[in-house]
């Protein structure tokens, strides 16, 4: 198998972390932040696209937010899938890895992001042309990043989340 040699090189490069199900041992904040930033990128693309589409179609807040969340998951998974597929992994395996790697991270991120927007007075009624929309979105995404990074650090340390993806990187 191609990635057996790679797995051993990864373990040698990063120290003896044990097997995937035993966790990765000590995980740096930098590694957790990179995993979170990767996730945040997909979420932000999906969120903004969902808001644009919902607004353009004249939808209300609930269907627009639902579309934004669905697209955040879609783009979050797609970015992870792209990297795994580049490593030569078949689609079915890559899809399973993306689901395992990103589901909790995206869910936490979306909960925080949309919670900030829903609870911020006037944010739900701000339009795309309103500067308030953009700075509240920036605050919401920043809050999601800060809160999701420790979640990703914990997951990677347990051999879950982006630790699963890590074994496929060249």
């Amino acid at each position: 198998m191609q990635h057996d040699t790679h797995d051993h090189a990864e373990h040698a490069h990063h120290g003896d972390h044990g097997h995937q199900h035993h966790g990765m041992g000590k995980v740096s904040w930098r590694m957790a932040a990179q995993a979170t930033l990767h996730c945040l990128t997909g979420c932000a693309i999906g969120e903004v696209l969902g808001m644009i589409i919902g607004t353009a179609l004249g939808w209300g807040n609930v269907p627009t937010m639902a579309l934004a969340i669905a697209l955040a998951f879609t783009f979050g998974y797609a970015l992870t899938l792209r990297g795994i597929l580049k490593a030569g992994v078949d689609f079915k395996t890559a899809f399973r890895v993306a689901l395992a790697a990103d589901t909790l991270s995206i869910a936490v991120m979306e909960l925080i992001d949309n919670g900030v927007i829903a609870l911020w007075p006037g944010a739900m009624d701000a339009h795309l042309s309103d500067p308030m929309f953009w700075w509240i979105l920036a605050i919401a995404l920043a809050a999601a990043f800060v809160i999701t990074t420790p979640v990703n650090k914990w997951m990677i340390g347990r051999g879950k989340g982006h630790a699963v993806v890590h074994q496929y990187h060249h």
Side-chain angles (χ1 to χ4, degrees):
M1 259 174 106
Q2 180 186 355
H3 52 273
D4 278 346
T5 306
H6 178 69
D7 285 346
H8 295 300
E10 282 294 312
H11 288 288
H13 176 70
H14 295 290
D16 185 17
H17 300 305
H19 296 293
Q20 177 183 334
H21 64 278
H22 291 260
M24 289 186 60
K26 186 154 175 62
V27 178
S28 71
W29 282 103
R30 183 171 182 253
M31 182 187 288
Q34 286 176 330
T36 306
L37 191 57
H38 180 266
C39 190
L40 183 71
T41 302
C43 287
I45 292 168
E47 288 274 332
V48 173
L49 190 59
M51 300 287 184
I52 290 170
I53 293 169
T55 301
L57 296 176
W59 291 359
N61 290 337
V62 174
T64 298
M65 191 175 269
L67 177 63
I69 292 168
L71 289 175
F73 274 92
T74 301
F75 279 92
Y77 290 138
L79 288 179
T80 297
L81 260 175
R82 194 179 115 226
I84 300 167
L85 290 170
K86 268 192 199 175
V89 177
D90 66 279
F91 183 82
K92 187 177 179 183
T93 302
F95 187 73
R96 284 187 191 150
V97 169
L99 289 179
D102 288 342
T103 300
L104 182 61
S105 182
I106 296 171
V108 170
M109 195 162 284
E110 287 302 296
L111 180 68
I112 302 305
D113 175 30
N114 286 287
V116 168
I117 293 169
L119 297 174
W120 196 291
M124 293 294 288
D125 299 320
H127 294 280
L128 296 171
S129 59
D130 186 347
M132 178 185 178
F133 170 85
W134 295 101
W135 63 261
I136 291 172
L137 180 62
I139 290 169
L141 291 172
F145 177 81
V146 168
I147 293 168
T148 308
T149 298
V151 172
N152 280 331
K153 186 176 188 302
W154 176 76
M155 287 175 45
I156 293 167
R158 297 189 64 220
K160 304 206 182 306
H162 270 259
V164 178
V165 173
H166 192 67
Q167 67 181 313
Y168 294 101
H169 288 231
H170 288 309

